[in-house]
């Protein structure tokens, strides 16, 4: 008996030790994972590693990793401090409500120079470093890996080679003055080396001068010369530290992103709805569950469209939208038998882009950070300045009330275009906390981000699946407009499909929904099943 007790205690000691001494990282490129490992092993914390990974992803994952875009970070430190960092782009000062209406039938909000918001990533990473960095490593140390990857190059993966070939003619047509290696007209193959000398120069400037190199110096001057912004636009960019949204689900604290992301509000609304009395979501992958989920999204995405935007411009508070009596009243109208009807606001969904990128880091001391960052569409506007691609985030505003953006999402006044305003996002970086346990997670996927995060959290917290099983699971998505239930391949049987149609659901199929990156104590769950170069590692140090 005594022997058993000693053995069990030793096991606990060992497991405890693994948790205490290991870090976990999941990201969309193996080189970013290498960078995180090297920073941690040099004495950096999760926040140092996140800054280095963000700059490195701008080099090795140019479709979404960026310095020409923006994003959000959700933070939970080793001493239980929760925070969120909003480094979302802002509309330039000359922007106006109707700036794209005259172009309603073209793609100006996606492809023109007007499509870009003032980028937030460089200031965001600077402020993350200043506020939460360990100080064991300098700013220069954190830029060095990205500079080396840009300067000496790296071997392109199959996925990257395919993307570069696919986008080649757009890169050339969008950049009459060239776009470095992207405009050379190579046929890219896996294993070729991508060197980005212009990007290396820009990163060196940011390393040596700090964010002023970007917002006041040579990068700002380039952006002004090329008619993207004014010097005042660049100089007036500010990040925001925002109070996180914190909910409770199955004994876990859910720490997530407030507006200007819709992600946190929508996620907490969905979690609340899925546990209301009379919910029919007790089983996974059943007709009743898919039906109830679709009806919940009808309500949640309506709130998103009507109320959410830059919080400085919202008339409704997040507390109002998360008030349970408000929500229960809304959910009471769900008919368990028949598909409902979304309010009459929409036109058909345009092609879904699954770009944006997410990475999750938890260090050995328990510092955690979930970052989702984006250029919006893949390679943003595909316009290239000073070595990097510019975002086309202006399309995330409601261009015209009732007119959907590239994700089919609709918005109203709270998300109309105004100078210096932040555009609404769906990015949902989230951290779950229960005692010493943390789960750090998120995914790309435009409008599908919210529902993907919801499904993974539910599977993990409520249905007891492992993190990797939850990430791997086949996803379903709905968003009120268009009135369609999207099913990822493998998420349904013929019988389920038939019965859903009988309830009045229009069904469409998706090859892939999102590309999740999650970690927990001593565990990683990168999305290795879906296409991409996802990678993760438990790091002992
Ligand atoms: N641009 C995608 C998002 O912010 O949700």
């Amino acid at each position: 008996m005594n022997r058993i007790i000693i053995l069990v205690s030793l096991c606990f000691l060992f497991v405890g030790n693994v948790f205490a001494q290991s870090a976990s990282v999941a990201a969309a490129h193996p080189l970013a994972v290498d960078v995180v490992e090297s920073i941690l092993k040099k004495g950096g914390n999760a926040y140092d590693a996140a800054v280095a990974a963000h700059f490195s992803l701008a080099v090795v994952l140019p479709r979404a990793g960026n310095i020409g875009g923006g994003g959000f970070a959700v933070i939970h430190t080793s001493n239980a401090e929760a925070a969120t960092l909003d480094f979302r782009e802002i509309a330039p000062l000359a922007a106006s409500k109707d700036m794209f209406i005259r172009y309603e039938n073209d793609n100006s909000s996606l492809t023109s120079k007007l499509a870009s918001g003032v980028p937030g990533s460089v200031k965001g990473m600077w402020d993350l470093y200043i506020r939460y960095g360990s100080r064991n490593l300098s700013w220069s140390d954190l830029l060095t890996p990205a500079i080396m990857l840009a300067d000496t190059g790296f071997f392109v993966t199959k996925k990257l080679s395919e993307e570069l070939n696919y986008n080649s003619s757009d890169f050339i047509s969008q950049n009459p003055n060239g776009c470095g290696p992207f405009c050379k007209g190579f046929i890219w193959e896996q294993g070729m080396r991508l060197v980005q000398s212009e990007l290396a120069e820009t990163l060196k400037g940011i390393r040596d001068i700090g964010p002023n190199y970007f917002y006041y110096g040579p990068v700002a001057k380039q952006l002004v010369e090329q008619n993207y912004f004014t010097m005042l636009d660049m100089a007036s960019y500010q990040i925001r530290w925002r109070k996180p949204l914190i909910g409770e689900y199955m004994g876990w604290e859910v720490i997530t992103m407030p507006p200007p992301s819709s992600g946190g509000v929508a996620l907490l609304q969905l979690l609340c709805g899925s546990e209301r009395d009379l919910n029919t979501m007790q089983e996974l992958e059943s007709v009743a569950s898919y039906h109830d989920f679709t009806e919940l999204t009808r309500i949640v995405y309506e709130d998103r469209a009507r109320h959410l935007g830059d919080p400085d411009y919202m008339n409704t508070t997040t507390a109002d939208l998360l008030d349970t009596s408000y929500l229960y009243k809304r959910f009471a109208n769900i008919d368990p038998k028949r598909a409902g009807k979304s309010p009459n606001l929409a036109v058909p969904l345009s092609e879904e882009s699954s770009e944006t990128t997410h990475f999750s880091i938890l260090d050995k001391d328990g510092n955690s950070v979930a970052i989702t960052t984006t250029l919006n569409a893949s390679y943003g506007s595909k316009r290239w300045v000073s070595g990097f691609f510019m975002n086309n985030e202006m399309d995330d505003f409601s261009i015209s009330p009732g007119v959907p953006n590239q994700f089919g999402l609709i918005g109203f006044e709270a998300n109309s275009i105004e100078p210096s305003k932040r555009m609404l996002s769906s990015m949902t970086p989230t951290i779950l906390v229960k005692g010493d346990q943390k789960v750090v997670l998120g995914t790309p996927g435009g409008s599908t981000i919210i529902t993907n995060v919801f499904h993974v959290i539910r599977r993990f917290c409520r249905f007891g699946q492992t993190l990797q099983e939850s990430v791997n699971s086949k996803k379903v998505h709905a968003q009120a407009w268009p009135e369609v239930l999207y099913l990822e391949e493998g998420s349904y049987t013929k019988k389920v499909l038939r019965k859903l149609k009988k309830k009045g659901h229009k069904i469409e199929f998706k090859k892939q929904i999102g590309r999740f990156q999650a970690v927990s104590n001593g565990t990683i769950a990168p999305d290795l099943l879906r296409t991409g170069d996802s990678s993760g590692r438990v790091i002992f140090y």
Side-chain angles (χ1 to χ4, degrees), residues 72 88 304 355-356 374-377 393 396 406-407 409 423-427 446-447 449:
F72 302 121
R88 185 73 162 159
R304 182 194 194 278
E355 296 324 326
T356 294
T374 191
L375 291 166
N376 193 22
E393 218 73 59
D396 273 353
Q406 63 160 346
F407 303 117
L409 291 168
M423 57 295 281
L424 185 62
S425 170
S426 297
M427 294 188 285
S447 52
I449 291 175

Side-chain angles (χ1 to χ4, degrees), residues 16-136:
N17 214 28
V18 167
F19 281 3
Q21 297 303 316
S22 69
S24 319
V25 52
H29 199 288
L31 289 169
V33 172
D34 290 346
V35 167
V36 168
E37 176 163 12
S38 76
I39 296 294
L40 293 176
K41 286 190 167 166
K42 282 182 186 143
N45 64 12
Y47 310 108
D48 296 320
V51 171
H54 196 292
F55 282 114
S56 297
L57 284 164
V59 181
V60 300
L61 195 81
R63 70 166 181 270
N66 68 82
I67 55 174
F72 302 121
V74 172
I75 287 158
H76 191 264
T77 66
S78 55
N79 52 12
E81 182 185 330
T84 73
L85 171 60
D86 164 0
F87 54 101
R88 185 73 162 159
E89 301 91 326
I90 58 169
L93 291 162
S96 63
K97 199 167 281 194
D98 61 356
M99 64 189 280
F100 295 113
I101 288 181
R102 59 185 174 278
Y103 301 125
E104 208 172 288
N105 293 322
D106 71 17
N107 275 334
S108 296
S109 63
L110 286 165
T111 57
S112 71
K113 289 186 179 177
L114 297 176
S116 298
V118 180
S121 291
V122 174
K123 259 200 181 149
M125 291 307 104
W126 173 257
D127 281 68
L128 183 58
Y129 162 72
I130 292 295
R131 187 143 165 184
Y132 288 105
S134 67
R135 295 296 180 281
N136 293 336

Side-chain angles (χ1 to χ4, degrees), residues 15-257:
V15 171
N17 214 28
V18 167
F19 281 3
Q21 297 303 316
S22 69
S24 319
V25 52
H29 199 288
L31 289 169
V33 172
D34 290 346
V35 167
V36 168
E37 176 163 12
S38 76
I39 296 294
L40 293 176
K41 286 190 167 166
K42 282 182 186 143
N45 64 12
Y47 310 108
D48 296 320
V51 171
H54 196 292
F55 282 114
S56 297
L57 284 164
V59 181
V60 300
L61 195 81
R63 70 166 181 270
N66 68 82
I67 55 174
F72 302 121
V74 172
I75 287 158
H76 191 264
T77 66
S78 55
N79 52 12
E81 182 185 330
T84 73
L85 171 60
D86 164 0
F87 54 101
R88 185 73 162 159
E89 301 91 326
I90 58 169
L93 291 162
S96 63
K97 199 167 281 194
D98 61 356
M99 64 189 280
F100 295 113
I101 288 181
R102 59 185 174 278
Y103 301 125
E104 208 172 288
N105 293 322
D106 71 17
N107 275 334
S108 296
S109 63
L110 286 165
T111 57
S112 71
K113 289 186 179 177
L114 297 176
S116 298
V118 180
S121 291
V122 174
K123 259 200 181 149
M125 291 307 104
W126 173 257
D127 281 68
L128 183 58
Y129 162 72
I130 292 295
R131 187 143 165 184
Y132 288 105
S134 67
R135 295 296 180 281
N136 293 336
L137 298 180
S138 65
W139 174 248
S140 165
D141 292 332
L142 307 186
L143 266 293
T144 298
I147 292 168
M148 281 174 62
L149 287 163
D151 232 349
T152 59
F154 65 97
F155 298 118
V156 305
T157 62
K158 183 162 181 291
K159 168 99 168 91
L160 180 55
S161 69
E162 286 166 359
E163 279 172 12
L164 295 179
N165 292 334
Y166 176 82
N167 287 296
S168 170
S169 56
D170 280 352
F171 290 153
I172 291 167
S173 65
Q174 284 289 77
N175 296 286
N177 296 325
C179 56
F182 302 99
C183 285
K184 289 258 156 62
F186 299 139
I187 304 293
W188 290 92
E189 281 173 26
Q190 179 178 5
M192 285 171 81
R193 189 185 283 269
L194 173 57
V195 175
Q196 298 173 77
S197 311
E198 295 86 347
L199 180 55
E201 287 316 302
T202 295
L203 291 170
K204 284 175 195 168
I206 296 169
R207 174 195 64 191
D208 297 340
I209 314 287
N212 284 356
Y213 184 85
F214 192 90
Y215 292 94
Y216 296 88
V219 175
K221 284 194 189 115
Q222 266 303 311
L223 287 165
V224 171
E225 254 175 56
Q226 295 189 33
N227 293 321
Y228 285 88
F229 309 120
T230 63
M231 280 312 256
L232 190 57
D233 286 327
M234 291 298 288
S236 52
Y237 181 83
Q238 296 291 336
I239 59 96
R240 297 267 189 268
W241 289 101
R242 299 193 186 276
K243 207 165 149 239
L245 290 179
I246 302 188
E248 192 275 335
Y249 181 68
M250 299 285 145
W252 290 84
E253 210 176 11
V254 181
I255 303 166
T256 189
M257 195 65 213

Side-chain angles (χ1 to χ4, degrees), residues 516-530:
F516 226 86
Q517 310 294 348
V519 302
S520 184
N521 309 64
T523 308
I524 51 164
D527 193 341
L528 302 175
L529 290 188
R530 294 173 178 85

Side-chain angles (χ1 to χ4, degrees), residues 285 290 293 354 443-445 448 451-453 455-456 459 469-478 484-494 496-497 500 507-516 527-531:
E285 295 168 22
Y290 284 180
F293 162 72
S354 65
T443 178
T448 68
T451 54
N452 200 343
V453 170
H455 292 306
V456 169
R459 282 176 179 266
E469 283 166 348
S470 310
V471 166
N472 290 354
S473 65
K474 299 299 178 183
K475 306 295 177 7
V476 297
H477 173 70
V484 169
L485 171 58
Y486 296 96
L487 301 178
E488 192 179 23
E489 278 175 12
S491 65
Y492 56 90
T493 60
K494 277 189 183 152
V496 166
L497 202 59
L500 283 169
I507 311 279
E508 286 183 20
F509 304 101
K510 274 190 180 288
K511 217 170 153 47
Q512 163 168 333
I513 296 181
R515 198 177 296 118
F516 226 86
D527 193 341
L528 302 175
L529 290 188
R530 294 173 178 85
T531 60

